[in-house]
Amino acid sequence: MPFDTILQRKIMGHFATGVTVVTTRVGDDLYGMTANAVTSLSLAPPLVLVCVERHAAMLEHLRTSKCYAMNILTEAQQDISTRFARKGPKEFSDLDWFPGETGSPILRASLAYVDCRVVDIASGGDHDVFIGEIFAGGCLNPSELPLLYYSGAYRTISSIK
Ligand SMILES: Cc1cc2nc3c(=O)[nH]c(=O)nc-3n(C[C@H](O)[C@H](O)[C@H](O)COP(=O)(O)O)c2cc1C
């Protein structure tokens, strides 16, 4: 029997993470998705990864664009996380962003970002793993604090006791 899904969620919910918005560009169209299944994978070569659910529209956009930016959110960007976690087209027109080297939108209010080209796509059950090689990046607002996700809810560093 497969392991219980609800219990897996509960257990892994105890793994506290930051929150990112992964963005990309296909032609003139911009896309983004809130993601916390991300990690820094390798330093030489410089690789990161993001796991994308098979039914997410973002999956096809990433397959087409072959690039993405990973925007690490500050605790002041919880509304941005909520916006990019909704299914369907995402609005960028009211956001302060600039195009990264790959053309993917970088959210200027983010803590930090990396801009990547997809070098591999691995299959992982109901997700695909997009491995990206970092071509650019920076710490945009290093004095801000990160937005956290823990046990199914947003947290801030100061709220954790
Ligand atoms: C905190 C948080 C983290 C999330 N992390 C991921 C993730 O790592 N991978 C993923 O596929 N979806 C993740 N999601 C869900 C997507 O953001 C959501 O399915 C999104 O609406 C997909 O939009 P799309 O289908 O229009 O691309 C997360 C949602 C939240 C609130």
Side-chain angles (χ1 to χ4, degrees):
M1 251 227 321
F3 193 74
D4 182 74
T5 311
I6 295 168
L7 184 54
Q8 181 183 353
R9 273 178 183 266
K10 189 174 173 189
I11 294 167
M12 294 312 296
H14 288 86
F15 185 61
T17 68
V19 182
T20 73
V21 169
V22 171
T23 57
T24 196
R25 178 181 207 136
V26 180
D28 287 340
D29 296 325
L30 304 179
Y31 301 99
M33 184 192 87
T34 300
N36 68 344
V38 306
T39 199
S40 179
L41 175 64
S42 161
L43 293 177
L47 303 177
V48 293
L49 66 80
V50 55
C51 306
V52 182
E53 211 258 314
R54 287 259 163 86
H55 294 117
M58 192 64 171
L59 191 106
E60 280 314 310
H61 302 320
L62 290 176
R63 282 184 174 276
T64 305
S65 69
K66 299 183 180 63
C67 64
Y68 61 85
M70 192 181 281
N71 296 271
I72 301 172
L73 301 189
T74 74
E75 62 181 23
Q77 291 178 295
Q78 187 178 317
D79 56 332
I80 300 296
S81 176
T82 303
R83 179 196 297 203
F84 282 92
R86 280 189 210 111
K87 286 217 159 284
K90 312 295 188 299
E91 190 57 55
F92 282 80
S93 61
D94 61 332
L95 296 178
D96 186 6
W97 64 271
F98 63 93
E101 274 194 27
T102 67
S104 306
I106 315 297
L107 307 180
R108 227 181 272 275
S110 301
L111 202 50
Y113 76 97
V114 286
D115 191 19
C116 314
R117 294 211 166 83
V118 174
V119 291
D120 207 356
I121 305 172
S123 172
D126 55 13
H127 283 60
D128 278 357
V129 184
F130 288 80
I131 297 174
E133 181 167 359
I134 302 171
F135 280 87
C139 300
L140 297 173
N141 297 284
S143 59
E144 298 290 325
L145 291 171
L147 179 62
L148 305 180
Y149 199 72
Y150 175 68
S151 204
Y154 291 109
R155 314 279 176 152
T156 59
I157 283 180
S158 51
S159 73
I160 296 198
K161 307 187 182 82

